[in-house]
Amino acid sequence: MNEEERAQIVSEIKTMMRTSPIIIDLDRFGIKVKPNSEYKIGTHVGFKFQCKNPDGLTNALLGSQEFNLDSTSTVLGWFMQLATHGVGFRQIGKARSIHIEIDEQDCDIHIDTHGIVAGLGVYYFKGMEGHLNWDLIPSYFPTLHLGRNSFLGPYVGLTDSLDEESLLEGLATHGPVLPKLSKATLGLLSRAEVGVQLYIGEATGLRATVSGLGDEAKIWGSFETRIGGDAALRFSATSNEAKLTLGGSW
């Protein structure tokens, strides 16, 4: 990555932060980009920085209606905070969004291709699935780069949508955890889809996957892309079945 590309990453993220709907100027809090920390790993784009006024930046994010704190006082917030250094804030929305990690020594800000926060304290599974495959897996697992923006890597998803409330919120409610976890796990396994994906854009990919277990297993070929802010088009086909999903949220 050359200096022009590094500067472009910093400029894009700062611009996203200081313009509507966020309107938070990072430079007001004395941020300093760490040398050579700008990155584009998989589809993740961001940079690391030091902040002279981390408390001021934290308070600005807490006072913003555009960001959600991954609060450790809730089950889901604690889970989302596991891979975060310091305190994590995620922009609310189901499409492209900002994720900020604030720590006294080492802060990080990057763009997630798929948002996972539907509202204050409200997470949703479909966004997590997209975030996993377009952001996390390409960033942290081995991928085969085939060009500037194309690469081949693992894919993990679901062939059918889940009742997110029963899966996520149900696990967080009072009562025996094991029966709920067992039911949720079986529901996931019955819909699980694993394979490889050719990433050909920020939220566009071709994939070959296997879904189901045993005699119910099916081999799928799929294409998925984003159309508009938070809507997707997906076409999947196997030897005796085809599915077309148009619209809806990630």
Side-chain angles (χ1 to χ4, degrees), residues 130-143:
H131 180 49
L132 172 67
N133 284 292
W134 266 272
D135 297 323
L136 300 183
I137 287 179
S139 297
Y140 299 109
F141 290 86
T143 56

Side-chain angles (χ1 to χ4, degrees), residues 7 9 41-42 56 71 87 99 107 137 144 171 194 199 202 233 237 250:
I9 287 173
I41 307 173
S71 174
V87 181
H99 182 196
C107 304
I137 287 179
L144 177 63
L171 290 174
V194 296
Y199 299 81
E202 186 183 65
L233 181 149
W250 285 93

Side-chain angles (χ1 to χ4, degrees), residues 41-212:
I41 307 173
T43 53
H44 254 167
V45 178
F47 62 86
K48 296 184 182 298
F49 64 95
Q50 293 177 322
C51 185
K52 291 184 178 179
N53 185 7
D55 290 339
L57 179 55
T58 298
N59 289 331
L61 293 166
L62 286 171
S64 172
Q65 296 299 308
E66 295 299 318
F67 282 90
N68 178 75
L69 168 67
D70 286 334
S71 174
T72 55
S73 64
T74 66
V75 173
L76 295 179
W78 172 83
F79 178 77
M80 295 302 164
Q81 183 76 4
L82 285 177
T84 298
H85 297 287
V87 181
F89 291 88
R90 300 176 191 271
Q91 186 179 1
I92 296 172
K94 297 182 177 182
R96 207 167 186 254
S97 59
I98 293 284
H99 182 196
I100 306 177
E101 302 174 6
I102 301 176
D103 182 83
E104 289 186 0
Q105 300 299 324
D106 190 14
C107 304
D108 182 281
I109 183 169
H110 57 262
I111 302 171
D112 288 334
T113 61
H114 294 69
I116 64 173
V117 183
L120 289 174
V122 181
Y123 301 92
Y124 72 110
F125 192 88
K126 192 62 177 175
M128 296 177 196
E129 182 184 340
H131 180 49
L132 172 67
N133 284 292
W134 266 272
D135 297 323
L136 300 183
I137 287 179
S139 297
Y140 299 109
F141 290 86
T143 56
L144 177 63
H145 289 265
L146 302 173
R148 183 178 178 85
N149 295 307
S150 299
F151 46 95
L152 186 70
Y155 176 85
V156 180
L158 298 171
T159 55
D160 298 300
S161 61
L162 289 173
D163 182 345
E164 297 174 20
E165 182 177 355
S166 64
L167 176 65
L168 298 175
E169 300 299 332
L171 290 174
T173 58
H174 296 290
V177 174
L178 189 58
K180 291 184 295 182
L181 185 60
S182 297
K183 182 179 179 181
T185 302
L186 288 173
L188 286 172
L189 287 177
S190 66
R191 298 171 172 85
E193 184 179 6
V194 296
V196 294
Q197 175 162 261
L198 174 64
Y199 299 81
I200 54 178
E202 186 183 65
T204 302
L206 293 163
R207 65 183 73 109
T209 56
V210 176
S211 68

